[in-house]
Amino acid sequence: MASQIDITVAPFKGLPAWVLSKLRPVAIEKIQAVHDWVETECIPAESIMKAQLAKDRWHTPPLMKQLREKAKARGLFNLFLPHHFPESPGLTNLEYACCAEIMGRVYWAAQTMNCHAPETGNIELLAKYANDAQKKQWLQPLLNGDFSSAYSMTEPEVASSDATTIGIRMEKVGDEYIINGRKIFGNVNWNPEMQLYILMGCTDPDNKNPWNRHSMLLVPADTPGLTIVRNLSIMGYDHAPEGHGEYVYQNVRIPASNVILGPGRAFEIAQGRLGPGRIHHCMRLIGQCERAYEFALIRATDERKKPRGRLIGDFDSNIERLAQMRLEIDALRLVVFNAADTMDTYGNKAGRYVIAQSKILVPDKIAHIIDECMQFYGGQGLTQHTPLPEMWTYARFVRLADGPDAAHRHQVGRDQLKGAAQVRKRHERYYLIAKELKRLYGLEEELAAECTWEYLDVSAIKSNL
Ligand SMILES: Cc1cc2nc3c(=O)[nH]c(=O)nc-3n(C[C@H](O)[C@H](O)[C@H](O)COP(=O)(O)OP(=O)(O)OC[C@H]3O[C@@H](n4cnc5c(N)ncnc54)[C@H](O)[C@@H]3O)c2cc1C
């Protein structure tokens, strides 16, 4: 298929050869269409979207609504849904990663294609775990883009990265659950399009097994007793019109039929949510970083601004910085593609390490690269004259959203330590073979004093060669 592709121009320029070789015609067509969409409908419309939002912060701008209808008509909706779902348009995770990178060039472009967070994770969750009635009521409209949803797990009073500590009480009384507690994050319901919370809470606090104490409930946003306290700003940005709400639940009554999968099964669902949705932010961050890099290139060649009579890009130090950024973006793209391809080839479970690798490396490194692009731009790089500050904030928040990177490092490190016993065994075997060789070459006495093996407790090694 690669022969159909012109690899000298966007959107295929820069894609690794092994990725190009795996793209099917349907994906090549979608990647080109997403590229054309973002280039012509999104990037030039950034200031219009901003102006419409400035007039009315908590309603979806008319332009967004128009673009969503147009994108749907062009077959660009829900591209993220993995191909094993009946509702999926059929892309693999790797193919979708190519599309998502392009979407990332504009913060809100994914939303025009119904491929934004937390919608993608929520749709996947409902497609996987909701029953038929729940799918009809909530999944179909979400796939259709009729309203939006939020995922509500985090609480202000516990360490939410350990979800067994989630405390909001969901008590079963008759055919209902009565909910009391407090939540933070999850889009604000000031926007009338926000109609559904997927709420994680505690239904069985006395269960001996901490993994069976929690459930997930479908909570309509207008349920009496559910009150928004405030919008949480993220490093000064309100992220309107979606926002990040702080909520109080006071005797909120929800029918028991709104439990997803069954009581006590929240962790089973949360595990299932750990698939491709976990790296969608990373996929988009690559595209966003490419855009930030373009700002650095523009500034480096701006004829109007020449310190000491030279272009910024004429200084050797800056040429090197541009090279370093290029190398790092391309390396990070490989990490994301590898995670997507591993999930395609071996399944989500086998992708555990590569997903963590993406989530640890990509936001952190990309925040550094965008920081460097801001520096290239000088003072204006930190102002609203460029989107760089918003881009940096996005990369920074992805270090926490969907779980802090420290938790992923913890998991990776623990898994590495589990392999230590095998590594030790292998080194003990080297020692035993070396001993045999010494005997063979008659070097036993000469080498008796050498300290090569002192990193092992050789006295404890028993020969089983
Ligand atoms: C912009 C943004 C959007 C968000 N959107 C949502 C949303 O839609 N829905 C939702 O429910 N939540 C959302 N969150 C919340 C996010 O998921 C949590 O902040 C995150 O899971 C961490 O939980 P916590 O804040 O309680 O911090 P804690 O769990 O208390 O962690 C704090 C710090 O402790 C350290 N730590 C934690 N675990 C470990 C470990 N295993 N090893 C070493 N150190 C560790 C880390 O330094 C970590 O950053 C969002 C957050 C942000 C910033």
Side-chain angles (χ1 to χ4, degrees), residues 24 71 88 138 144 155 161 164 177 230 280 284 286 298-299 324 355 360 405:
R24 297 164 307 146
S88 164
W138 302 110
N144 204 35
E155 297 178 2
S161 59
T164 60
Y177 281 95
R230 59 176 69 84
H280 288 171
R284 291 195 296 271
I286 302 288
I298 290 170
R299 183 63 184 84
Q324 187 65 24
I355 291 170
I360 295 163
D405 51 9

Side-chain angles (χ1 to χ4, degrees), residues 22 27 35 52 108 121 137 140 144 161 231 256 279 339 382 395 417:
K22 287 191 166 205
H35 169 77
Q52 290 189 351
W108 45 260
Q137 188 176 2
Q140 287 311 326
N144 204 35
S161 59
N231 180 51
I279 58 162
L382 277 66
L417 284 169

Side-chain angles (χ1 to χ4, degrees), residues 268-446:
E268 213 176 310
I269 300 169
Q271 282 298 317
R273 206 178 182 271
L274 303 186
R278 294 225 109 188
I279 58 162
H280 288 171
H281 280 305
C282 295
M283 294 172 179
R284 291 195 296 271
L285 279 176
I286 302 288
Q288 184 184 261
C289 195
E290 284 287 3
R291 185 110 189 271
Y293 186 72
E294 288 172 6
F295 282 102
L297 287 177
I298 290 170
R299 183 63 184 84
T301 52
D302 189 335
E303 287 286 348
R304 299 168 303 169
K305 301 182 176 193
K306 290 183 165 175
R308 298 174 185 271
R310 296 162 72 189
L311 291 171
I312 301 279
D314 280 344
F315 291 87
D316 283 345
S317 58
N318 292 333
I319 294 171
E320 286 212 8
R321 282 155 76 203
L322 286 167
Q324 187 65 24
M325 286 193 273
R326 177 76 271 146
L327 299 173
E328 288 178 5
I329 298 170
D330 289 347
L332 294 168
R333 176 183 290 109
L334 284 173
V335 167
V336 174
F337 281 158
N338 183 44
D341 192 44
T342 303
M343 280 186 274
D344 286 332
T345 313
Y346 299 106
N348 297 350
K349 209 168 160 197
R352 184 174 133 117
Y353 166 70
V354 283
I355 291 170
Q357 186 187 31
S358 284
K359 287 199 51 79
I360 295 163
L361 291 179
V362 173
D364 184 36
K365 300 290 172 213
I366 279 185
H368 279 99
I369 297 170
I370 297 172
D371 186 71
E372 193 78 324
C373 296
M374 289 199 276
Q375 197 68 14
F376 257 82
Y377 228 93
Q380 281 171 300
L382 277 66
T383 70
Q384 71 272 42
H385 284 191
T386 74
L388 290 166
E390 282 156 290
M391 291 174 166
W392 184 86
T393 304
Y394 178 36
R396 180 63 188 82
F397 90 54
V398 177
R399 280 190 64 199
L400 271 160
D402 287 341
D405 51 9
H408 296 287
R409 279 197 298 272
H410 184 107
Q411 173 212 309
V412 170
R414 256 186 11 207
D415 287 351
Q416 290 300 304
L417 284 169
K418 278 182 203 159
Q422 275 200 332
V423 172
R424 173 179 296 278
K425 263 212 171 83
R426 187 155 37 80
H427 282 246
E428 289 175 355
R429 203 173 150 76
Y430 297 152
Y431 166 76
L432 292 170
I433 296 171
K435 229 166 114 178
E436 285 294 315
L437 285 172
K438 283 179 209 164
R439 233 175 256 137
L440 195 69
Y441 287 101
L443 295 172
E444 214 166 347
E445 265 180 34
E446 287 94 321

Side-chain angles (χ1 to χ4, degrees), residues 41 119 139 171 174 181 192 221 283 331 351 403 405 435:
E41 303 282 350
E119 229 69 275
L139 175 61
E171 193 181 357
M283 294 172 179
D405 51 9
K435 229 166 114 178

Side-chain angles (χ1 to χ4, degrees), residues 107 117-118 150-162 165-166 183-187 198 232 234 239 243-244 273 278 281 393-394 396-411 414:
Y107 182 71
Y151 184 71
S152 188
M153 186 196 81
T154 305
E155 297 178 2
E157 282 140 21
V158 299
S160 302
S161 59
D162 174 2
T165 65
I166 294 298
K183 286 281 178 187
I184 46 175
F185 298 103
N187 304 9
I198 297 182
L232 301 168
I234 302 297
H239 284 174
H244 309 275
R273 206 178 182 271
R278 294 225 109 188
H281 280 305
T393 304
Y394 178 36
R396 180 63 188 82
F397 90 54
V398 177
R399 280 190 64 199
L400 271 160
D402 287 341
D405 51 9
H408 296 287
R409 279 197 298 272
H410 184 107
Q411 173 212 309
R414 256 186 11 207

